[in-house]
Amino acid sequence: MKKTFILLIFVGSGFTINAQKTKVVPKPTTKPAAKPVLKPVSILKTHNDSLSYVLGEMSAFNLIQQGFGDIKINEVAFSKAATDIMSKKQTLIDDLAANALLNNYMGRLQEEKAKARIDSGKVFLSDNAKRKEVKTTASGLQYEILTEGTGIKPTTQDTFVVNYRGTLINGTEFDASANRGTPLKMALTSVIPGWTEGLQLMNVGSKFKLFVPYTLGYGVYDNGPIPGGSTLIFEMELVDVKKKGHE
């Protein structure tokens, strides 16, 4: 007998289940009977088998939704991991290493997705570095001094107060303290690396323009209105520095 399949779509579930149905094929009457073909034995022999299959479908669907659809799964390793978890056994890879593997993989995917923005940012920074007003640090941060202040400089132990405006390299504004009507007050270690480094170059009263490569900004991941891989431009005015214990 020949197998055919009917797809049953469960609305809202996000996955489908294959239900098997048999169809009788009439034997030929004018030709000798062909050698019998053994029918494959279904792996779905019990209710638990079927439930296990459905759980596998759900797992696969969720993996696809999370961006792992292109991975060539090693079925033996996949099954071993699932069995270990369900049986509460010690896994072969600890949580720290597992998270590193996943983060590295997702990071590569995001970097590929953001490649055009990363490349355009590199070109922008390369051209920008040629301007005599612009200085470039060892990390790749670029800055331009608009006004030199005379106050103290913040350290990583301090809290800063700053007016700022942030744009993409195409001029699109994504944030500004003026939109909230008040300067931003925050610990120096609680901001992106480009700010942590750039603000320590500024005396209170200074106005700088910072040009922040994506590696010192939000990396390859989207962050609200900021697309992943974006080079950022900030106009900064350091209003005040609050020393630790005097915030």
PDB file of all heavy atoms in Angstrom, residues 16 26 38 46 74 89 91 102 118 149 155 167 174 230 235-236:
ATOM      1  N   THR A  16       2.254  22.433  12.213  1.00  0.00           N
ATOM      2  CA  THR A  16       1.339  21.499  11.576  1.00  0.00           C
ATOM      3  C   THR A  16       1.675  20.091  12.002  1.00  0.00           C
ATOM      4  O   THR A  16       2.772  19.792  12.442  1.00  0.00           O
ATOM      5  CB  THR A  16       1.436  21.589  10.041  1.00  0.00           C
ATOM      6  OG1 THR A  16       2.748  21.255   9.658  1.00  0.00           O
ATOM      7  CG2 THR A  16       1.065  22.977   9.552  1.00  0.00           C
ATOM      8  N   PRO A  26      -5.087  -0.852  -6.547  1.00  0.00           N
ATOM      9  CA  PRO A  26      -5.497  -2.116  -7.174  1.00  0.00           C
ATOM     10  C   PRO A  26      -4.306  -2.830  -7.806  1.00  0.00           C
ATOM     11  O   PRO A  26      -3.405  -2.198  -8.357  1.00  0.00           O
ATOM     12  CB  PRO A  26      -6.502  -1.659  -8.232  1.00  0.00           C
ATOM     13  CG  PRO A  26      -6.175  -0.234  -8.508  1.00  0.00           C
ATOM     14  CD  PRO A  26      -5.701   0.322  -7.201  1.00  0.00           C
ATOM     15  N   LEU A  38       7.999  -3.943   1.387  1.00  0.00           N
ATOM     16  CA  LEU A  38       7.715  -3.859   2.808  1.00  0.00           C
ATOM     17  C   LEU A  38       7.314  -2.439   3.186  1.00  0.00           C
ATOM     18  O   LEU A  38       7.979  -1.472   2.813  1.00  0.00           O
ATOM     19  CB  LEU A  38       8.952  -4.270   3.612  1.00  0.00           C
ATOM     20  CG  LEU A  38       9.391  -5.724   3.436  1.00  0.00           C
ATOM     21  CD1 LEU A  38      10.664  -5.985   4.245  1.00  0.00           C
ATOM     22  CD2 LEU A  38       8.289  -6.675   3.869  1.00  0.00           C
ATOM     23  N   THR A  46       2.552   4.607  19.654  1.00  0.00           N
ATOM     24  CA  THR A  46       1.762   4.836  20.858  1.00  0.00           C
ATOM     25  C   THR A  46       1.405   6.313  20.967  1.00  0.00           C
ATOM     26  O   THR A  46       1.928   7.165  20.230  1.00  0.00           O
ATOM     27  CB  THR A  46       2.548   4.425  22.112  1.00  0.00           C
ATOM     28  OG1 THR A  46       3.666   5.325  22.272  1.00  0.00           O
ATOM     29  CG2 THR A  46       3.056   2.996  22.003  1.00  0.00           C
ATOM     30  N   ASN A  74      22.797  18.144  14.111  1.00  0.00           N
ATOM     31  CA  ASN A  74      23.329  16.811  14.377  1.00  0.00           C
ATOM     32  C   ASN A  74      22.282  16.107  15.237  1.00  0.00           C
ATOM     33  O   ASN A  74      22.134  16.400  16.430  1.00  0.00           O
ATOM     34  CB  ASN A  74      24.665  16.911  15.124  1.00  0.00           C
ATOM     35  CG  ASN A  74      25.267  15.552  15.448  1.00  0.00           C
ATOM     36  OD1 ASN A  74      24.559  14.619  15.817  1.00  0.00           O
ATOM     37  ND2 ASN A  74      26.579  15.458  15.338  1.00  0.00           N
ATOM     38  N   LYS A  89      19.722  14.858  33.787  1.00  0.00           N
ATOM     39  CA  LYS A  89      21.099  14.398  33.856  1.00  0.00           C
ATOM     40  C   LYS A  89      22.058  15.572  33.663  1.00  0.00           C
ATOM     41  O   LYS A  89      21.678  16.634  33.168  1.00  0.00           O
ATOM     42  CB  LYS A  89      21.374  13.340  32.775  1.00  0.00           C
ATOM     43  CG  LYS A  89      20.616  12.033  32.961  1.00  0.00           C
ATOM     44  CD  LYS A  89      20.976  11.047  31.843  1.00  0.00           C
ATOM     45  CE  LYS A  89      20.247   9.731  31.998  1.00  0.00           C
ATOM     46  NZ  LYS A  89      20.577   8.778  30.905  1.00  0.00           N
ATOM     47  N   THR A  91      24.494  17.784  31.829  1.00  0.00           N
ATOM     48  CA  THR A  91      24.688  18.036  30.401  1.00  0.00           C
ATOM     49  C   THR A  91      26.171  18.035  30.056  1.00  0.00           C
ATOM     50  O   THR A  91      27.029  18.246  30.922  1.00  0.00           O
ATOM     51  CB  THR A  91      24.071  19.391  30.003  1.00  0.00           C
ATOM     52  OG1 THR A  91      24.636  20.426  30.809  1.00  0.00           O
ATOM     53  CG2 THR A  91      22.557  19.369  30.186  1.00  0.00           C
ATOM     54  N   LEU A 102      25.818  30.216  21.913  1.00  0.00           N
ATOM     55  CA  LEU A 102      24.621  30.844  21.348  1.00  0.00           C
ATOM     56  C   LEU A 102      24.865  32.315  21.024  1.00  0.00           C
ATOM     57  O   LEU A 102      24.466  32.803  19.959  1.00  0.00           O
ATOM     58  CB  LEU A 102      23.453  30.715  22.327  1.00  0.00           C
ATOM     59  CG  LEU A 102      22.890  29.307  22.534  1.00  0.00           C
ATOM     60  CD1 LEU A 102      21.840  29.309  23.629  1.00  0.00           C
ATOM     61  CD2 LEU A 102      22.300  28.773  21.233  1.00  0.00           C
ATOM     62  N   ILE A 118      27.540  48.673   8.887  1.00  0.00           N
ATOM     63  CA  ILE A 118      28.905  48.623   9.425  1.00  0.00           C
ATOM     64  C   ILE A 118      29.896  49.173   8.406  1.00  0.00           C
ATOM     65  O   ILE A 118      30.775  49.985   8.728  1.00  0.00           O
ATOM     66  CB  ILE A 118      29.271  47.183   9.821  1.00  0.00           C
ATOM     67  CG1 ILE A 118      28.441  46.736  11.028  1.00  0.00           C
ATOM     68  CG2 ILE A 118      30.766  47.071  10.133  1.00  0.00           C
ATOM     69  CD1 ILE A 118      28.618  45.278  11.383  1.00  0.00           C
ATOM     70  N   GLY A 149      36.118  73.464  28.111  1.00  0.00           N
ATOM     71  CA  GLY A 149      35.719  73.905  29.440  1.00  0.00           C
ATOM     72  C   GLY A 149      36.896  74.017  30.372  1.00  0.00           C
ATOM     73  O   GLY A 149      38.029  73.645  30.044  1.00  0.00           O
ATOM     74  N   THR A 155      35.629  60.861  36.372  1.00  0.00           N
ATOM     75  CA  THR A 155      36.315  59.575  36.383  1.00  0.00           C
ATOM     76  C   THR A 155      35.258  58.480  36.391  1.00  0.00           C
ATOM     77  O   THR A 155      34.059  58.751  36.505  1.00  0.00           O
ATOM     78  CB  THR A 155      37.208  59.420  37.626  1.00  0.00           C
ATOM     79  OG1 THR A 155      36.368  59.267  38.792  1.00  0.00           O
ATOM     80  CG2 THR A 155      38.092  60.644  37.821  1.00  0.00           C
ATOM     81  N   THR A 167      22.609  61.430  16.748  1.00  0.00           N
ATOM     82  CA  THR A 167      22.117  61.208  15.383  1.00  0.00           C
ATOM     83  C   THR A 167      22.862  60.043  14.745  1.00  0.00           C
ATOM     84  O   THR A 167      23.961  59.678  15.179  1.00  0.00           O
ATOM     85  CB  THR A 167      22.307  62.460  14.495  1.00  0.00           C
ATOM     86  OG1 THR A 167      23.707  62.731  14.346  1.00  0.00           O
ATOM     87  CG2 THR A 167      21.606  63.670  15.091  1.00  0.00           C
ATOM     88  N   PHE A 174      17.970  60.319  16.889  1.00  0.00           N
ATOM     89  CA  PHE A 174      17.316  59.225  17.584  1.00  0.00           C
ATOM     90  C   PHE A 174      17.088  59.519  19.059  1.00  0.00           C
ATOM     91  O   PHE A 174      16.320  58.836  19.733  1.00  0.00           O
ATOM     92  CB  PHE A 174      18.109  57.917  17.438  1.00  0.00           C
ATOM     93  CG  PHE A 174      19.543  58.004  17.901  1.00  0.00           C
ATOM     94  CD1 PHE A 174      19.872  57.876  19.244  1.00  0.00           C
ATOM     95  CD2 PHE A 174      20.571  58.194  16.982  1.00  0.00           C
ATOM     96  CE1 PHE A 174      21.190  57.951  19.676  1.00  0.00           C
ATOM     97  CE2 PHE A 174      21.896  58.263  17.413  1.00  0.00           C
ATOM     98  CZ  PHE A 174      22.206  58.145  18.758  1.00  0.00           C
ATOM     99  N   SER A 230      25.235  50.532  13.733  1.00  0.00           N
ATOM    100  CA  SER A 230      25.259  51.962  13.398  1.00  0.00           C
ATOM    101  C   SER A 230      26.428  52.700  14.050  1.00  0.00           C
ATOM    102  O   SER A 230      26.712  52.512  15.238  1.00  0.00           O
ATOM    103  CB  SER A 230      23.954  52.635  13.844  1.00  0.00           C
ATOM    104  OG  SER A 230      22.848  52.158  13.130  1.00  0.00           O
ATOM    105  N   GLU A 235      26.441  65.203  19.980  1.00  0.00           N
ATOM    106  CA  GLU A 235      26.852  66.543  20.388  1.00  0.00           C
ATOM    107  C   GLU A 235      26.672  66.587  21.899  1.00  0.00           C
ATOM    108  O   GLU A 235      25.555  66.404  22.402  1.00  0.00           O
ATOM    109  CB  GLU A 235      26.000  67.604  19.695  1.00  0.00           C
ATOM    110  CG  GLU A 235      26.159  67.605  18.176  1.00  0.00           C
ATOM    111  CD  GLU A 235      25.172  68.544  17.496  1.00  0.00           C
ATOM    112  OE1 GLU A 235      24.703  69.488  18.165  1.00  0.00           O
ATOM    113  OE2 GLU A 235      24.868  68.318  16.315  1.00  0.00           O
ATOM    114  N   MET A 236      27.759  66.815  22.636  1.00  0.00           N
ATOM    115  CA  MET A 236      27.761  66.681  24.089  1.00  0.00           C
ATOM    116  C   MET A 236      28.165  67.996  24.759  1.00  0.00           C
ATOM    117  O   MET A 236      29.112  68.666  24.328  1.00  0.00           O
ATOM    118  CB  MET A 236      28.758  65.599  24.509  1.00  0.00           C
ATOM    119  CG  MET A 236      28.696  64.304  23.718  1.00  0.00           C
ATOM    120  SD  MET A 236      27.424  63.212  24.291  1.00  0.00           S
ATOM    121  CE  MET A 236      28.143  62.659  25.826  1.00  0.00           C
TER     122      MET A 236
END
